[in-house]
Amino acid sequence: MPEGKNKVDMEKIVSLCKRRGFIFPSSEIYGGLGSCWDYGPLGVELKRNVKEAWWRAVIQERDDMVGIDASIMMHPQTWVASGHVEGFSDPLVECKDCHLRWRATDLNGNSCPDCSGELTEPKQFNLMFKTFMGPVEDDASVVYLRPETAQGIFVNFDNVLATSRKKLPFGIAQMGKSFRNEITTGNFIFRTREFEQMEIEYFVKPGTDEKWFDYWVKERFDWYLKLGIKEENLHLRKHGNKELAHYAKGCYDIEYLFPMGWAELEGIANRGDFDLVQHAKYSGKTLSYFDDETGEHYTPYVIEPSAGVDRSMLAFLVDAYDEELAEGETRVVLHLHPKLAPIKVVILPLSRNVKLVPLAREVYTELRRHFMTQYDDAQSIGRRYRRQDEIGTPFCVTIDFQSLEDKQVTIRERDSMAQIRLPINEMVKTLQAKLSGEPFDAQPLWATRTPDALGQ
Ligand code: GAP
């Protein structure tokens, strides 16, 4: 694995996220809650956009995939069948002096990293959060908060097969919250105890699984590139035999160069028929597929691309972050892909002059029907541009006195800082085209600007 760390400082990302309303420490007024984070007004938009981009790529634009949304609490037998009750654990050691617990595999020496105290022998610690369903707190009412969304898909395999009338190969996708009582958390939203996953279970005919495994590794790797992640910050790592999860025949991690170094962004596993066989055994139901071309019944194999929403968000934020010198000042800019940017366009009246307000509000009302739009009339235009650069807004629309005369506005693009002037009634169409990737070519549109507006 190549050495190194992303040169972007995690502290700067955490600070920007707090300052601009992307991510706050959870229940901060009470001092926060370990490794829990709240998404603020911009964070929630970025998160929605990441999920929307994934859903679009894996469901909307394909005819071999459908989605589900299963409940977080599932029948407790699910987790016995899946192996989580038995095996989803980490070896923990406890300091005999300060009683802090550590993951045995994270330690170099034999003493407590905090107080150098003596450590206990490792003991297995299950990572699933337990709670009780119903009014009685006894063993019979124990339920778990799901530690992965995957099992909600497996237990619904037959329901989806019967209702969607899909034929192999086909996949089921789900996104939603998962919970793990992680021992080692940290690095901001990289590893938390409550997080969101985006998972696909792609069912294939046994024997074709290797082909589909390679296909999904490439497909998922390309998804991050298409959304703007720099290729040099992304690589694949194949799991060695000892590292493979109990269910996996093979696994690749897509790793990203985070500020703390290379780490898993998404795992793609070949799960064979492990899950369907286990659930069939524990539920007593048949979970197989009838192949009407060959007349055979068999249990499909499964390829599982499993991604984290929060972890992807962190990668997109780190990758987009830049500090550039512009007009003698440092400009902090998030070069987020337009699809991911929380706000697509902001309306900036040149000043709060009452003559400008009606037109500026009219343009704002029109644009917000089409895009996530903000209206900002506080402070100088330069400072307002900087504010939008910092949150990754691709386009700023300025309304000036000339706009009252010629019904044209100026549009400034975030990355190049180039500006074009164009008629208000062409704005929606132009912004739609630019947001979906058309180059920001100023030339043809400058012609529509009057010499006055150009200051000539
Ligand atoms: N169903 C397979 C599965 O859950 P995993 O590698 O344990 O596999 C998949 O998790 C993805 O979920 C990871 O690549 C990561 O993006 C995300 N993830 C897992 N644990 C996480 C945690 N504690 N905090 C944030 N994201 C996590």
Side-chain angles (χ1 to χ4, degrees):
M1 183 163 72
E3 294 292 315
K5 293 177 178 188
N6 198 307
K7 63 177 180 357
V8 172
D9 182 351
M10 185 78 98
E11 287 309 310
K12 288 192 175 167
I13 300 292
V14 177
S15 150
L16 172 73
C17 285
K18 171 84 201 296
R19 196 170 68 247
R20 302 311 315 272
F22 280 90
I23 302 168
F24 311 121
S26 166
S27 19
E28 196 182 10
I29 58 166
Y30 290 105
L33 178 67
S35 95
C36 292
W37 300 91
D38 294 345
Y39 290 92
L42 294 181
V44 77
E45 293 302 331
L46 175 57
K47 199 178 205 196
R48 263 164 38 98
N49 294 341
V50 169
K51 294 198 286 185
E52 164 60 25
W54 182 82
W55 198 260
R56 190 183 177 96
V58 308
I59 298 201
Q60 188 181 328
E61 292 176 356
R62 304 181 62 103
D63 62 6
D64 56 350
M65 296 275 305
V66 289
I68 63 160
D69 185 8
S71 78
I72 286 174
M73 287 181 289
M74 301 177 66
H75 193 289
Q77 276 298 97
T78 308
W79 307 110
V80 179
S82 69
H84 283 83
V85 168
E86 179 76 16
F88 193 56
S89 55
D90 267 348
L92 265 198
V93 292
E94 189 173 319
C95 172
K96 290 182 182 170
D97 293 338
C98 71
H99 299 287
L100 278 181
R101 289 177 172 190
W102 305 93
R103 189 149 64 172
T105 47
D106 286 348
L107 298 180
N108 290 323
N110 292 325
S111 53
C112 172
D114 208 46
C115 74
S116 307
E118 196 188 336
L119 298 171
T120 60
E121 285 301 307
K123 215 173 133 196
Q124 291 298 324
F125 172 81
N126 196 293
L127 300 182
M128 281 195 294
F129 278 100
K130 234 184 223 179
T131 187
F132 301 93
M133 189 175 255
V136 185
E137 293 196 3
D138 62 11
D139 283 354
S141 61
V142 165
V143 287
Y144 300 97
L145 302 187
R146 67 180 177 201
E148 59 173 20
T149 61
Q151 300 303 324
I153 298 180
F154 293 125
V155 300
N156 277 296
F157 170 74
D158 220 33
N159 284 334
V160 175
L161 187 63
T163 52
S164 68
R165 304 164 65 99
K166 291 280 175 207
K167 296 211 178 306
L168 289 190
F170 80 95
I172 306 176
Q174 165 162 234
M175 54 192 180
K177 292 264 179 169
S178 292
F179 303 82
R180 296 182 189 177
N181 200 359
E182 300 276 8
I183 297 142
T184 321
T185 54
N187 289 316
F188 197 26
I189 53 171
F190 177 80
R191 183 177 287 115
T192 52
R193 296 195 171 98
E194 174 181 342
F195 55 96
E196 274 192 79
Q197 289 186 305
M198 306 182 284
E199 297 199 285
I200 298 168
E201 306 303 332
Y202 196 76
F203 300 95
V204 304
K205 184 172 183 179
T208 64
D209 48 312
E210 290 300 328
K211 180 183 86 181
W212 286 109
F213 182 50
D214 293 345
Y215 167 86
W216 277 108
V217 170
K218 179 166 180 348
E219 192 71 9
R220 294 301 307 145
F221 194 90
D222 289 350
W223 184 77
Y224 293 100
L225 295 180
K226 279 186 210 146
L227 287 173
I229 296 270
K230 299 178 197 84
E231 200 158 0
E232 66 267 26
N233 291 340
L234 213 55
H235 75 202
L236 283 175
R237 191 178 67 81
K238 191 176 183 191
H239 281 213
N241 281 344
K242 283 194 188 145
E243 201 186 346
L244 284 179
H246 59 281
Y247 51 75
K249 279 180 72 189
C251 186
Y252 272 103
D253 282 346
I254 298 177
E255 294 197 327
Y256 178 72
L257 188 62
F258 286 99
M260 65 282 184
W262 289 101
E264 176 186 342
L265 188 56
E266 168 162 354
I268 298 117
N270 181 346
R271 297 180 75 117
D273 60 6
F274 176 83
D275 304 272
L276 291 179
V277 166
Q278 285 292 103
H279 287 301
K281 185 170 138 196
Y282 280 80
S283 66
K285 300 280 186 297
T286 306
L287 297 178
S288 65
Y289 177 78
F290 176 67
D291 190 330
D292 53 14
E293 274 174 27
T294 62
E296 298 168 275
H297 283 275
Y298 51 79
T299 306
Y301 276 16
V302 176
I303 309 301
E304 179 196 65
S306 172
V309 178
D310 316 75
R311 217 173 263 191
S312 307
M313 279 181 68
L314 182 59
F316 286 125
L317 282 167
V318 168
D319 219 72
Y321 184 90
D322 204 4
E323 290 176 13
E324 302 169 354
L325 206 60
E327 292 148 22
E329 273 182 30
T330 303
R331 152 174 118 116
V332 173
V333 54
L334 285 184
H335 295 287
L336 285 170
H337 190 286
K339 276 198 180 127
L340 300 181
I343 306 296
K344 311 296 182 202
V345 48
V346 60
I347 308 301
L348 308 173
L350 196 62
S351 70
R352 283 182 173 159
N353 187 299
V354 287
K355 288 193 185 145
L356 291 178
V357 175
L359 183 62
R361 301 295 304 184
E362 190 188 312
V363 170
Y364 175 49
T365 308
E366 171 62 11
L367 286 191
R368 61 196 287 192
R369 292 175 53 230
H370 303 273
F371 317 104
M372 277 306 294
T373 309
Q374 269 189 359
Y375 185 92
D376 185 6
D377 60 4
Q379 298 181 309
S380 74
I381 199 85
R383 289 183 84 135
R384 283 183 274 163
Y385 281 156
R386 296 288 175 269
R387 217 169 22 233
Q388 295 300 326
D389 289 344
E390 219 184 21
I391 65 171
T393 306
F395 297 109
C396 295
V397 172
T398 309
I399 290 163
D400 54 22
F401 290 100
Q402 179 76 33
S403 309
L404 301 176
E405 307 287 317
D406 62 9
K407 297 283 179 275
Q408 297 198 11
V409 292
T410 304
I411 298 184
R412 170 198 183 260
E413 196 262 345
R414 176 195 67 201
D415 296 342
S416 61
M417 294 189 281
Q419 303 190 6
I420 58 175
R421 194 149 171 101
L422 85 164
I424 289 173
N425 60 13
E426 284 178 24
M427 212 171 35
V428 170
K429 193 168 54 96
T430 307
L431 283 172
Q432 265 158 351
K434 306 281 175 217
L435 283 165
S436 54
E438 185 186 277
F440 194 83
D441 182 4
Q443 279 332 101
L445 289 154
W446 278 115
T448 65
R449 203 171 177 190
T450 63
D452 257 5
L454 283 165
Q456 292 162 354

